[in-house]
Amino acid sequence: MRRAAPLLLAATLAAAPAAAQDRGSDRALDRTVADFRALHRAEVARAGIAGSSFYVIRDGRTIVADHIGEQDAEAHVPVDARTIYHWASITKTMTGIAIMQLRDRGLLKLDDPIIRYVPELAGVHDPFGDPGAITLRQLMSHSAGFRNGTWPWRDKPWQPFEPPGWKQLEAMIPYTEVQFKPGSRFGYSNPGIVYLGQVIERLSGEDFEVYVDKNILRPLGMQSSYFDRTPPYLLPHRAHSYYIQGGKRVPAPFDADTGVTVSNGGLNAPLPDMAKYVAFLLGDPKRGAEYDLVLKRASLEEMWRPVISAGEDFTQGRMAPTTWSGLSFFLDRTDGIRIVGHNGDQNGFRTYLSLCPDQHLGTLLAFNTETRGVENDPGNRDMPESRIALATDGLCKAVAKGGK
C-alpha cells in the first residue's frame, strides 16, 4: 500500500463561553478530546486518508477545530479552515428544512401526496396500490418505497456524474417500481429526495440552489458555501477526493456536478460555515428570533421525532439496530444520550454531522478519502471513517457525565 503523505495538523482550541467553563464537564471533555484526537490521527495515518477535519461546537461556539493532512495530495496542499469539502447527503437535512419552511408558510402539508406537486410520478409502477397515496412525509423519512440509487449509468468517463436535468429522471419514471408498501418500512432513497427538490422548485419558482442560498445559507452567514461546481475564486480551497482501491489511493473526479440530484447531495462548504449550521441546529435562546427566520424551533424539533425504524439498514445513519429515521435526520440513543444527525458519502468524500441536543454539543467530521465502499452490513461500523465518527459519542458522554 502506498504510504500516506506526512501528517500535517493544525489544531485550535477556542475559548469556551464563561457559562460553559463553569460546568464540571469541561475537564472530562478536554480529556476526551485529547483521546479522540489521538484516535483520529492514528486512524487517518493508518488508512492512507489524505485529509480530514474535525470541529466541536458547544453553546453556539466552535471550541475545537482540527485539520489534518492534505486537501490535494498530489500538490501537497494542506487542509486548513478554508478547505471546502463536499458534504454529500448531509444536503438532505437542508432539503428537509426547506420543505418545513414551505409547510410553515402554508404552501404544503407533510401528508400531501407527492403527485400533487410532481404529477409525473403518477406514472411509476406501484404494485401495492395507488402511487397517489405516497406522501411528502414518507419521502422525508425514507419510507416511500423508492429505490436507493438515482442514476445507474456511471461506468464510462463520458457519462455524466449524475443526471444533469429533470428530463432524465422523468424519462425513467415508467421504469420505476415502488419496492415495498409505502409507510411500511425504511428504505433509503436518493431519488425520493430529488422528488422533494422538485417540490421546492415548483412551489418557490426558484432553482433549488437559489432557494436554499436565500433561505438557509445566507441567513446563517454561510458565505463560502455553494452547490455543485466551484466558483473560480474558491477553487484554490476546493478539496480533491480519493478512493482506496487495491491498497492504493486513487483520485476521484474533481469538482463533480450533482446535476438534478443537487437536493440529494450537492452541498460544498468549509468547516467554519458548517459550524454556523450546527449552531443553528443546536439553537440558542439569545438568537431565537434570528434563527426563527430560518425555521422555528418547534418545527426543527418535529423533524427529530422518530417516524420509522432504520435499524435494518447498515448503510445509513448511525449503522445500529437502534437507529430511527425522523424527517430528514437520523435519530439514536447511546447510553441514554439523544443523538441526531446525518452522514454523507459521495465521490470519495465521507462526512458526518452529529448533534447531542440535550448537551448543547455538536460535531462535524469530514474526510476527502473513502477507504472502501459502503455495504448494507454491520461491518460498516469497522471502517476507519466509521470508527472515528462513532468515537465522537464520547464527547457527548463526557459532557453528560460531568454535568451530573
Side-chain angles (χ1 to χ4, degrees):
M1 178 175 178
R2 187 172 116 190
R3 293 180 64 84
L7 198 61
L8 305 174
L9 171 68
T12 302
L13 267 173
Q21 289 176 340
D22 291 338
R23 294 177 181 167
S25 58
D26 283 354
R27 190 170 300 173
L29 180 59
D30 290 345
R31 288 194 299 268
T32 307
V33 167
D35 291 342
F36 177 85
R37 281 177 167 155
L39 170 71
H40 186 195
R41 297 176 209 179
E43 290 278 10
V44 164
R46 184 163 44 245
I49 293 170
S52 180
S53 295
F54 170 65
Y55 271 36
V56 179
I57 299 88
R58 188 180 182 195
D59 294 318
R61 296 187 61 185
T62 299
I63 62 169
V64 177
D66 278 359
H67 302 286
I68 301 174
E70 298 173 327
Q71 71 176 38
D72 183 341
E74 283 69 42
H76 300 299
V77 178
V79 174
D80 60 23
R82 297 172 297 176
T83 296
I84 295 168
Y85 290 93
H86 178 59
W87 292 88
S89 288
I90 291 175
T91 308
K92 293 177 171 71
T93 66
M94 292 188 177
T95 300
I97 286 171
I99 290 290
M100 297 300 284
Q101 288 174 337
L102 297 172
R103 192 282 303 271
D104 289 355
R105 294 168 193 165
L107 297 177
L108 59 80
K109 296 179 181 178
L110 299 186
D111 292 317
D112 284 344
I114 181 62
I115 65 170
R116 179 173 300 176
Y117 307 102
V118 189
E120 300 96 304
L121 289 171
V124 303
H125 176 63
D126 186 352
F128 303 96
D130 180 3
I134 298 172
T135 68
L136 305 184
R137 187 186 304 276
Q138 290 167 345
L139 292 169
M140 294 176 75
S141 60
H142 297 282
S143 60
F146 290 111
R147 67 182 181 275
N148 185 334
T150 304
W151 193 238
W153 299 288
R154 201 191 297 164
D155 58 346
K156 294 183 173 62
W158 54 266
Q159 294 171 338
F161 180 74
E162 291 282 11
W166 172 248
K167 64 181 181 181
Q168 282 82 32
L169 287 191
E170 184 179 7
M172 293 172 67
I173 287 175
Y175 307 94
T176 297
E177 181 178 20
V178 178
Q179 297 180 337
F180 56 84
K181 184 178 180 180
S184 65
R185 66 176 180 87
F186 175 87
Y188 193 81
S189 174
N190 287 304
I193 308 303
V194 178
Y195 303 151
L196 291 175
Q198 287 296 301
V199 174
I200 294 164
E201 292 194 353
R202 297 179 191 197
L203 284 180
S204 70
E206 297 178 314
D207 288 345
F208 173 86
E209 301 94 313
V210 173
Y211 177 89
V212 173
D213 186 63
K214 285 182 177 181
N215 292 275
I216 300 176
L217 302 184
R218 286 182 182 269
L220 295 178
M222 300 173 67
Q223 300 297 334
S224 296
S225 302
Y226 60 94
F227 294 92
D228 290 328
R229 294 206 181 275
T230 305
Y233 78 100
L234 290 176
L235 270 175
H237 310 300
R238 179 70 158 100
H240 291 242
S241 58
Y242 307 89
Y243 295 103
I244 303 296
Q245 295 178 348
K248 296 182 179 180
R249 191 169 60 209
V250 298
F254 177 65
D255 205 28
D257 190 338
T258 61
V260 74
T261 73
V262 60
S263 59
N264 168 67
L267 179 67
N268 304 301
L271 269 289
D273 271 17
M274 292 301 291
K276 295 176 181 178
Y277 183 51
V278 169
F280 155 71
L281 293 174
L282 290 171
D284 182 350
K286 296 179 181 178
R287 303 183 67 180
E290 174 189 351
Y291 286 160
D292 280 354
L293 292 175
V294 178
L295 190 67
K296 293 185 183 300
R297 192 75 209 163
S299 295
L300 194 57
E301 290 281 355
E302 183 180 347
M303 300 177 75
W304 298 349
R305 295 173 190 160
V307 175
I308 198 158
S309 173
E312 294 183 0
D313 188 333
F314 290 94
T315 67
Q316 305 302 326
R318 298 184 54 77
M319 302 170 291
T322 53
T323 303
W324 282 70
S325 178
L327 298 177
S328 305
F329 286 88
F330 290 105
L331 320 171
D332 216 325
R333 285 190 176 272
T334 176
D335 294 338
I337 297 170
R338 182 169 60 127
I339 306 290
V340 176
H342 210 293
N343 60 297
D345 173 14
Q346 188 175 43
N347 195 39
F349 288 95
R350 295 289 300 273
T351 56
Y352 301 84
L353 180 157
S354 185
L355 312 173
C356 313
D358 302 323
Q359 284 70 44
H360 311 287
L361 185 141
T363 62
L364 292 161
L365 185 62
F367 304 93
N368 69 347
T369 307
E370 182 178 72
T371 59
R372 71 170 175 83
V374 174
E375 300 175 355
N376 191 4
D377 186 276
N380 286 327
R381 293 174 64 90
D382 292 328
M383 295 173 64
E385 304 95 301
S386 299
R387 287 196 296 268
I388 298 168
L390 292 168
T392 62
D393 288 358
L395 305 174
C396 301
K397 295 176 186 177
V399 173
K401 183 177 180 180
K404 290 182 180 178

